[in-house]
Amino acid sequence: GKKTYITYCVVCHGAKGKGDGIAAAGLQKQPADHTSAKVQSQTDGALFWKMTEGHSPMPPYKAVLTEVQRWQLVNYIRTLAKH
């Protein structure tokens, strides 16, 4: 999950998942902060669906990442929760 996150997610969501990646400044809608209660309170299925179908401005990843990779990303996002 972490390797896939670094490859596909860090550019917008940032290395620590706070939505502060290098590309975030150029987006009209800021990327989600994966450490936030708003993201962490969502079900695993909701996070998986957003990755699969896209959630503007984030593109869909169903044709890019396997189902296993997307579930691994869900699991990795859970590790980014604020402690």
Side-chain angles (χ1 to χ4, degrees):
K2 184 175 184 177
K3 286 181 183 180
T4 303
Y5 194 88
I6 290 167
T7 302
Y8 293 96
C9 310
V10 165
V11 68
C12 292
H13 293 281
K16 295 185 179 180
K18 296 192 176 283
D20 59 356
I22 195 164
L27 299 173
Q28 286 186 321
K29 182 179 175 188
Q30 289 301 295
D33 176 349
H34 291 153
T35 69
S36 70
K38 181 178 180 182
V39 170
Q40 293 293 327
S41 66
Q42 294 178 47
T43 66
D44 290 349
L47 295 175
F48 180 85
W49 185 86
K50 288 176 183 178
M51 283 180 224
T52 301
E53 300 298 325
H55 191 252
S56 185
M58 186 180 82
Y61 282 94
K62 63 184 162 194
V64 179
L65 301 174
T66 67
E67 184 175 338
V68 169
Q69 285 175 308
R70 285 177 274 141
W71 281 118
Q72 288 171 337
L73 280 174
V74 169
N75 291 331
Y76 181 70
I77 287 169
R78 296 298 183 205
T79 72
L80 299 174
K82 291 179 180 173
H83 296 4

